[in-house]
Amino acid sequence: MQIHVVKSKIHRVKVTGADLNYIGSITIDEDLMEAANIVEGEKVQIVNNNNGERLETYVIPGPRNTGEITLNGAAARKVAKGDILIIISYGIMDMEEARNFKPSLVFPDEETNLLK
């Protein structure tokens, strides 16, 4: 049997932008992506702490060391600039692998979204 487990989490980042007219996705500072072991195009779940919204989209890299967290396309309607998000990706693995797996957890500075 295989199960879904948390692979990566970026905890409590602030939305820096929302671009309704973009094709879709979430733009994440590439430094945060690397620290969380998230790759371009990876599916992520977005949890908005301010309004309770949850959505899924895919990741595109943003400029390094900027703290950029921008929701694009329809997802832009689910956030406001300044909202606090948790970004989660999941992996599929067998039970034995899941028991020993350790996710990549990132806790950036809550004001700047930069790595501490």
Side-chain angles (χ1 to χ4, degrees):
M1 175 187 331
Q2 293 193 317
I3 60 172
H4 293 253
V5 297
V6 173
K7 178 187 83 63
S8 309
K9 180 168 88 165
I10 302 174
H11 190 74
R12 295 188 60 86
V13 286
K14 191 180 296 186
V15 174
T16 59
D19 186 355
L20 184 60
N21 296 313
Y22 193 80
I23 297 170
S25 68
I26 182 170
T27 304
I28 301 175
D29 177 323
E30 199 165 1
D31 287 339
L32 293 174
M33 288 175 58
E34 283 182 4
N37 195 28
I38 294 173
V39 298
E40 182 174 359
E42 185 170 351
K43 178 181 172 181
V44 291
Q45 180 181 45
I46 310 298
V47 180
N48 188 328
N49 283 3
N50 291 77
N51 63 19
E53 290 282 356
R54 289 177 174 257
L55 62 105
E56 293 179 341
T57 190
Y58 64 93
V59 175
I60 59 173
R64 290 182 179 280
N65 200 37
T66 61
E68 181 177 357
I69 301 291
T70 300
L71 276 292
N72 303 302
R77 294 198 183 274
K78 304 287 187 178
V79 301
K81 189 173 179 181
D83 282 358
I84 301 298
L85 307 180
I86 299 171
I87 302 168
I88 308 164
S89 71
Y90 298 90
I92 300 171
M93 54 191 76
D94 63 44
M95 292 290 283
E96 193 58 38
E97 184 181 8
R99 284 188 178 94
N100 298 308
F101 181 76
K102 301 293 184 227
S104 299
L105 307 175
V106 177
F107 300 89
D109 181 279
E110 289 189 34
E111 291 302 312
T112 65
N113 292 343
L114 300 176
L115 296 171
K116 294 179 184 178

